[in-house]
Amino acid sequence: MSRKGILFVISGPSGVGKGTLRGKLMETPCEDLIYSVSTTTRQPRLGEIEGRDYFFTDADTFKSLIASGELLEWAVVYNNYYGTPKKFVLDNLEKGTDVLLEIDIQGALKIKNVIPDGVFIFVLPPSVEELGKRLNARGKDSQLEIERRLACYDEEIAHLDKYDYMVVNDNILEAAEKIRAIITAERCRVRRMQ
Ligand code: 5GP
């Protein structure tokens, strides 16, 4: 028996720890699971590597990727463009390799329209207060920016019902284990077998 690849989408509010969670998962990746590196116009942060963390590009190049239909989805997140390369994802799914995306909520909802049998995982903070603390602790954003992100929280969480799973990121190791369990369970679904 064989099956097509499954698209796993990790998404959730900014600051909830999606990136750390993805890093933890990919430290000892599940077999046949590949991470799709996004393209962005934001500047690389210290320690980030081209092609591993993101494909860094400029706004004009990004717009030409949109125009030529090379992105599965794209969104403007906090004043920068972010997008998922279409060919990489579709080619891997077609040959039976599972693909992991870590994207924002707008992007996840767009993908759900294109690939409805993907598995959509919403990562939640233990509380909105804890989310505020994490945004402050990571020191990447101004106070105004943090307030703006927290103000989006209620609107973002209203989309929870469009997701298949929710994982509270209280403890990173436990949250990563839960995602591994979701991956294993989805791979065993009879309806996915061909
Ligand atoms: P950061 O700049 O902190 O790496 O990411 C900012 C936000 O953009 C995060 O919520 C991250 O999940 C999201 N993001 C990263 N890549 C993509 C992508 O390809 N598409 C969309 N829609 N969001 C993305």
Side-chain angles (χ1 to χ4, degrees), residues 10-15 18 22 35 37-40 42 45 48 54 73-78 82-85 102-108 138 140 149:
I10 296 181
S11 184
S14 170
K18 303 186 290 287
R22 180 247 301 170
Y35 173 63
V37 178
S38 295
T39 300
T40 182
R42 89 147 158 73
R45 296 192 187 114
E48 283 187 331
Y54 281 105
E73 64 74 39
W74 63 272
V76 178
V77 187
Y78 311 117
Y82 292 82
T84 305
E102 181 252 297
I103 60 176
D104 86 319
I105 294 168
Q106 323 166 52
R138 71 179 186 177
K140 279 197 302 201
R149 290 185 183 206

Side-chain angles (χ1 to χ4, degrees), residues 9 11 73 103-112 120 163:
V9 181
S11 184
E73 64 74 39
I103 60 176
D104 86 319
I105 294 168
Q106 323 166 52
L109 297 177
K110 285 184 201 164
I111 299 247
K112 201 170 158 71
F120 295 83
Y163 284 72

